[in-house]
Amino acid sequence: MNTLKNKVQLIGNLGNDPEIINLESGKTLAKFNIATNESYTNAKGEKITDTQWHNVVAWGKTAQIIEKYVTKGKEVAIEGKLTSRSYDDKDGNKRYITEVVCSELLLLGK
């Protein structure tokens, strides 16, 4: 069990164009979301598609590749790790977010 670690692999389609942020430190950050779909047949024999949305962030060279080649609707495979953080919104309410920090990216489809 010691070899298990925080690892996520997803294949999905981008829901929007990536947001690219060039930080003052010179680092590049890409933020985007992907949709993954799972289909099943319910008890009535109807085909149901369940779509889950995942927030993804990428840094450095991975973010630069995303900036050049990835747009809304593209199918991608990503690998990374899950991270959770909290922040206070403009009304002072504490909000929580879980993101996939992408370390590997593979462009799929056409």
Side-chain angles (χ1 to χ4, degrees):
M1 289 287 203
N2 290 339
T3 60
L4 294 179
K5 62 181 182 176
N6 183 357
K7 184 176 181 179
V8 176
Q9 294 178 325
L10 297 170
I11 296 175
N13 296 83
L14 268 75
N16 55 5
D17 286 334
E19 176 185 356
I20 306 299
I21 302 168
N22 293 302
L23 303 174
E24 290 180 14
S25 64
K27 292 183 179 181
T28 304
L29 169 65
K31 297 169 74 175
F32 58 98
N33 57 34
I34 66 171
T36 56
N37 297 312
E38 179 180 0
S39 296
Y40 62 92
T41 304
N42 68 12
K44 296 178 183 177
E46 302 165 328
K47 183 178 177 181
I48 305 295
T49 300
D50 179 34
T51 302
Q52 297 291 317
W53 289 92
H54 311 275
N55 296 313
V56 183
V57 296
W59 294 91
K61 291 199 181 289
T62 305
Q64 292 168 359
I65 290 168
I66 290 166
E67 180 178 23
K68 287 182 181 179
Y69 301 108
V70 180
T71 57
K72 178 180 178 176
K74 291 273 187 181
E75 185 179 30
V76 295
I78 64 165
E79 182 174 293
K81 66 180 182 175
L82 281 179
T83 60
S84 296
R85 59 184 172 87
S86 64
Y87 65 94
D88 294 326
D89 67 12
K90 64 181 179 181
D91 298 324
N93 299 314
K94 187 168 276 300
R95 301 287 181 184
Y96 299 91
I97 188 168
T98 299
E99 300 169 316
V100 177
V101 178
C102 176
S103 56
E104 303 263 344
L105 173 84
L106 180 62
L107 301 173
L108 302 174
K110 297 179 181 179

